[in-house]
């Protein structure tokens, strides 16, 4: 990592970074093959293919939303350190409309995935009958479309204002983004709760946990900071971001460490209260997940998402070493997938489901889609936001 | 025991950083550098080794966790087992909140105490208070070698890097 200060690019250099065509081709093949395999799975093993699509679809949508949340948090905090690599969270945010597609695909197949959507269930299940006014496919679809549209709108505005600043070079655009971010954060906090309840928690329609959305929000923050770090290091290595220095990485490392710990705190807050109270209607969620085929993934989840990253990121030099950060980010991202897999898959496959072909197809397929969207955004806008008033502060960032 | 140090006062962060590097390059031992706020890059300029305080913190945290876990295990499994809602005596998840709190408490208090002791900040220890370093001045304390000519050379290094004022002070070493 270079420590000296680089020249700010002149105004009007509008081209982005040319991502290697091999990467783009690989992402395209991954998206086609992965989503194609899921399409076949939809006919053969619908519950498994849909679980995989929901897990991966939600994971990557959260990376996109996480990019927007990261930006919004930085804007409202008047932070300047991240400006050098702000095009990365912006590129992630540009995935949100793409990421809506895998989730919208779930709607016509809801009856194969969600117990409450099964024909005839409302007549036989009294508890679900009481929730029928909320848990029905048309209202579910309306809520999903509205939330996705709201997020796509806000992420589009945030990115557009930032790109406009490259040529207009006015502070007013930063101020507009601060206001937009403040509104977005409030609306996002509320709608994301709803999304987590709707798309994930309603897989267990008899069960409920009020901390569930917050716990998912911690996972969103942890995984998106990891993905931003990975993208920043890879782009730096590819020569697109020579201005990234060790101090930027150090701060990203601290955020990874902090959000991994926040995740563990919220995971444990949910678990402890249910374990301690030991009420059947609440423990029904954990019993299938802690026994049989799900026992090993259940404990592995804690190791990948907290124990291992905590130890690996504790020393100061660890957070300043790009190769080390890449490894820890890989562990945390794998952990995030496993965490979501544990929320989703046991509902329809109580006996266990490992990392099989359909799970891989989901990761590869939606991951390919995500890579396509991100590389497209990276190519279309200059890597360095030359008009951002915080750029100089960010170039000199030193911890 | 006391030693005579040369103090150079500066009026900006950049100058004090340059002067600190120059003093070390000229071969003088730094007694310390005093600044009104934490100056980025000062650790490098002073050539400080990485702080060992982190190890104190880590060790104290582990001690706290071990103490909390063993106390809870002893009281609820060995000394006075009680059946609470049919749960096992060794109810590990229930021990975690207390262990977490004690880990943080031990780590925080021990680290602060270790810092104060190591920096000799305790009652009875007379420290020289430099005027204005808590306000708008940056001060470098140099330990020059004994020869008077050497003192003059050290003053020269400080002056060349923009010292606005200089003084000779006796300090406890």
């Amino acid at each position: 990592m270079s420590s000296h200060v680089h020249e700010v690019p002149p105004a009007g250099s509008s081209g982005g970074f040319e991502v290697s065509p091999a990467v783009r081709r690989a992402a395209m093949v991954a998206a086609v093959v992965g989503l194609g395999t899921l399409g076949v799975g939809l006919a053969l093993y619908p519950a498994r293919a849909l679980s995989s699509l929901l897990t991966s679809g939600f994971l990557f949508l959260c990376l996109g939303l996480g990019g927007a949340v990261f930006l919004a948090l930085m804007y409202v905090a008047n932070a300047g350190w991240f400006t050098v690599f702000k095009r990365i969270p912006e590129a992630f945010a540009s995935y949100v409309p793409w990421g809506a597609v895998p989730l919208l695909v779930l709607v016509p197949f809801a009856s194969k995935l969600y117990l409450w959507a099964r024909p005839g269930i409302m007549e036989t299940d009294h508890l679900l009958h009481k929730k029928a006014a909320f848990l029905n496919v048309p209202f579910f679809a309306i809520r999903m479309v509205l939330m996705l549209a709201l997020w796509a709108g806000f992420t589009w505005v945030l990115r557009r204002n930032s790109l406009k600043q490259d040529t207009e070079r006015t502070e007013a655009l930063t101020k507009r983004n601060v206001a937009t971010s403040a509104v977005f954060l409030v609306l996002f906090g509320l709608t994301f709760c709803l999304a987590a309840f709707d798309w994930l928690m309603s897989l267990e329609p008899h069960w409920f946990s009020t901390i569930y959305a917050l716990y998912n929000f911690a996972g969103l923050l942890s995984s998106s900071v990891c993905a931003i770090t990975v993208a920043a290091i890879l782009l730096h290595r590819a020569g697109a971001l020579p201005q990234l220095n060790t101090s930027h990485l150090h701060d990203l490392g601290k955020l990874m460490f902090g959000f991994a710990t926040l995740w563990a705190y919220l995971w444990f807050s949910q678990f402890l209260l249910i374990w301690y109270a030991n009420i059947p209607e609440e423990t029904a969620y954990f019993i299938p997940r802690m026994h049989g085929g799900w026992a090993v993934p259940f404990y592995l989840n804690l190791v990948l998402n907290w124990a291992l990253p905590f130890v690996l990121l504790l020393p100061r030099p660890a957070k300043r070493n790009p190769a080390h950060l890449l490894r820890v980010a890989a562990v945390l991202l794998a952990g995030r997938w496993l965490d979501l897999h544990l929320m989703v898959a046991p509902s329809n496959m109580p006996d266990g489901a490992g990392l099989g072909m359909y799970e891989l197809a989901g990761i590869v397929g939606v991951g390919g889609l995500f890579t396509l969207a991100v590389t497209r955004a990276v190519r279309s806008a200059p890597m360095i936001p030359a008009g951002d008033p915080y750029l100089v502060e960010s170039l000199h960032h030193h911890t | 025991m006391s030693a005579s140090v040369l103090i150079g006062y500066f009026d900006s962060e950049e100058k004090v950083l340059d002067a600190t590097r120059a003093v070390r390059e000229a071969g003088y031992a730094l007694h310390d550098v005093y600044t009104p706020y934490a100056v980025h890059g000062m650790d490098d300029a002073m050539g400080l080794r990485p702080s060992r305080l982190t190890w104190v913190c880590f060790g104290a945290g582990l001690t706290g966790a071990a103490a909390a876990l063993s106390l809870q295990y002893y009281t609820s499994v060995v000394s006075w087992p009680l059946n609470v809602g049919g749960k096992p005596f060794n109810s590990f998840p229930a021990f975690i909140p207390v262990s977490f709190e004690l880990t943080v408490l031990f780590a925080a208090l021990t680290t602060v105490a270790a810092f104060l002791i190591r920096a000799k900040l305790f009652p009875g220890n007379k420290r020289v208070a430099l005027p204005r370093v808590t306000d708008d001045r940056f001060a470098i304390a140099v330990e020059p070698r004994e020869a008077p000519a050497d003192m003059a050379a050290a003053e020269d290094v400080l002056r060349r890097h923009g010292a606005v004022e200089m003084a000779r002070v006796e300090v406890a070493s």
Side-chain angles (χ1 to χ4, degrees), chain A residues 61-317:
Chain A
L61 179 65
C62 280
L63 294 186
L65 292 169
V69 170
F70 182 89
L71 279 176
L73 286 173
M74 295 299 144
Y75 272 117
V76 295
N78 271 329
W81 66 277
F82 78 108
T83 307
V84 155
F85 62 86
K86 98 187 239 224
R87 285 287 134 87
I88 294 171
E90 280 172 15
F92 283 16
S94 78
Y95 168 74
V96 171
W98 300 49
V101 177
L103 286 152
L104 290 169
V105 168
L106 296 174
V107 174
F109 301 99
S111 64
K112 301 262 193 303
L113 186 63
Y114 295 102
L115 180 68
W116 53 262
R118 265 179 221 164
I121 193 84
M122 291 300 178
E123 283 74 49
T124 52
D125 191 318
H126 180 63
L127 261 180
L128 291 190
H129 183 69
K130 291 273 183 195
K131 299 180 182 180
F134 189 80
L135 289 180
N136 58 74
V137 177
F139 193 26
F140 177 83
I142 291 170
R143 290 194 302 267
M144 182 184 270
V145 169
L146 288 180
M147 283 188 284
L148 290 169
L150 181 86
W151 299 339
F154 270 97
T155 51
W156 182 78
V157 171
L158 280 178
R159 182 159 186 265
R160 188 209 49 186
N161 282 344
S162 172
L163 295 188
K164 220 198 257 178
Q165 205 170 35
D166 283 356
T167 46
E168 288 186 15
R169 311 221 160 194
T170 152
E171 218 178 294
L173 285 164
T174 299
K175 288 186 177 143
R176 207 178 301 162
N177 261 357
V178 170
T180 312
S181 296
V183 178
F184 171 67
L185 282 175
V186 173
L187 292 178
F188 181 77
L190 296 171
T191 46
F192 185 75
C193 284
L194 188 58
F197 290 162
D198 260 15
W199 306 343
L200 301 177
M201 203 168 83
S202 85
L203 285 161
E204 303 274 352
H206 300 111
W207 178 80
F208 51 86
S209 159
T210 47
I211 207 170
Y212 194 84
L214 209 54
Y215 150 60
N216 256 293
F217 192 64
L220 172 145
L221 289 170
S222 160
S223 59
S224 49
V225 168
C226 286
I228 290 169
T229 310
V230 169
I233 294 172
L234 294 183
L235 283 167
H236 178 80
R237 285 188 178 169
L241 205 55
Q243 297 89 345
L244 187 78
N245 68 34
T246 312
S247 296
H248 297 124
L249 287 182
H250 191 182
D251 278 349
L252 283 168
K254 288 179 209 163
L255 290 176
M256 276 163 69
F257 179 83
F259 287 140
T261 304
L262 177 69
W263 175 90
Y265 177 73
L266 292 169
W267 182 94
F268 186 70
S269 299
Q270 175 174 280
F271 176 78
L272 182 72
L273 294 194
I274 292 173
W275 178 87
Y276 211 93
N278 209 10
I279 300 168
E281 89 176 325
E282 292 178 349
T283 52
Y285 178 77
F286 280 110
I287 285 172
R289 284 168 175 78
M290 287 177 76
H291 301 98
W294 290 107
V296 173
F298 180 81
Y299 292 103
L300 186 63
N301 189 20
L302 287 174
V303 173
L304 293 183
N305 273 309
W306 180 69
L308 209 53
F310 182 85
V311 177
L312 290 177
L313 286 177
L314 202 48
R316 183 174 186 266

Side-chain angles (χ1 to χ4, degrees), chain A residues 268 272 275-276 278 314 398-399, chain B residues 40-41 58 87 91 93-94 96-97:
Chain A
F268 186 70
L272 182 72
W275 178 87
Y276 211 93
N278 209 10
L314 202 48
H398 189 286
T399 52
Chain B
H40 282 304
F58 185 63
K87 289 195 166 49
S91 282
I96 290 184

Side-chain angles (χ1 to χ4, degrees), chain B residues 38-57:
Chain B
V39 172
H40 282 304
M42 187 51 92
D43 287 13
D44 275 344
M46 290 175 74
L48 295 180
R49 282 171 299 149
S51 167
R52 287 165 298 173
L53 212 53
T54 52
W55 290 103
V56 174
C57 182

